[in-house]
């Protein structure tokens, strides 16, 4: 059963691969993007068919905040989650102000990945319109 469509924005290949594997195994359809520029351009598409967006805040020296803002401005339907290994409290607060609904500190252990999935599932349940099903068709490009 498909849980929804997820956009991943992370410049580190290892981070992308970890998140992709974790989400696909959990039943999500995934599209990954490596640069903030590509992500901002991608989020400008009309009728963006994503339920969740996982944005690495440290993409290109903090450009993740820019991606979160763009998602908030252009894709109100997409539920953003911020991830990063290291971030001072003020960066985390800025992520929330930019539109993040949750923040995950690390994805380096199995416990971290389980927490991450639980966070995504909780956000999807809480914010999804009960009358609408997740958009489970693959997005415009392969992940």
């Amino acid at each position: 059963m498909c849980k929804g469509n997820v956009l991943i924005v992370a410049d580190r290949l290892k981070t992308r691969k970890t998140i992709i594997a974790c989400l696909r195994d959990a039943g999500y359809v995934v599209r990954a993007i490596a640069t903030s520029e590509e992500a901002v351009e991608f989020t400008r598409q009309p009728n963006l068919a994503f339920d969740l967006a996982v944005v690495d805040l440290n993409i290109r020296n903090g450009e993740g905040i820019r991606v979160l803002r763009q998602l908030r401005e252009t894709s109100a339907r997409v539920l953003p989650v911020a991830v990063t290994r290291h971030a001072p409290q003020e960066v985390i607060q800025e992520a929330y102000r930019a539109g993040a609904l949750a923040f995950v500190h690390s994805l380096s252990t199995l416990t971290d990945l389980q927490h991450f999935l639980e966070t995504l599932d909780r956000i999807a349940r809480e914010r999804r319109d009960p009358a609408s099903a997740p958009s489970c068709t693959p997005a415009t490009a392969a992940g």
Side-chain angles (χ1 to χ4, degrees):
M1 178 175 103
C2 174
K3 290 184 177 181
N5 244 338
V6 180
L7 173 64
I8 298 168
V9 183
D11 56 353
R12 291 184 58 231
L13 181 60
K14 183 178 177 182
T15 301
R16 281 196 315 274
K17 284 184 173 186
T18 299
I19 296 171
I20 288 168
C22 178
L23 292 177
R24 284 188 176 154
D25 288 349
Y28 288 94
V29 174
V30 179
R31 162 71 157 98
I33 292 178
T35 69
S36 59
E37 293 83 6
E38 185 183 1
V40 167
E41 188 61 35
F42 188 76
T43 61
R44 289 184 178 142
Q45 295 179 20
N47 303 316
L48 190 63
F50 286 94
D51 303 296
L52 299 162
V54 177
V55 179
D56 183 353
L57 293 182
N58 287 332
I59 190 171
R60 275 256 184 96
N61 300 318
E63 282 289 304
I65 298 292
R66 177 176 169 223
V67 174
L68 289 171
R69 284 190 185 114
Q70 182 69 30
L71 282 166
R72 182 184 65 206
E73 292 170 9
T74 61
S75 309
R77 181 181 172 280
V78 178
L79 309 175
V81 175
V83 298
T84 193
R85 281 189 185 182
H86 308 287
Q89 189 60 36
E90 55 270 8
V91 172
I92 295 168
Q93 291 170 347
E94 181 67 19
Y96 282 118
R97 284 192 297 270
L101 298 175
F103 181 82
V104 179
H105 285 278
S106 176
L107 296 175
S108 58
T109 68
L110 183 56
T111 302
D112 294 337
L113 292 172
Q114 288 171 332
H115 171 69
F116 172 68
L117 286 174
E118 289 167 4
T119 299
L120 290 185
D121 288 343
R122 178 184 50 80
I123 289 171
R125 278 193 315 274
E126 289 173 359
R127 296 291 300 260
R128 187 176 293 134
D129 177 358
S132 70
S135 57
C136 291
T137 55
T140 56

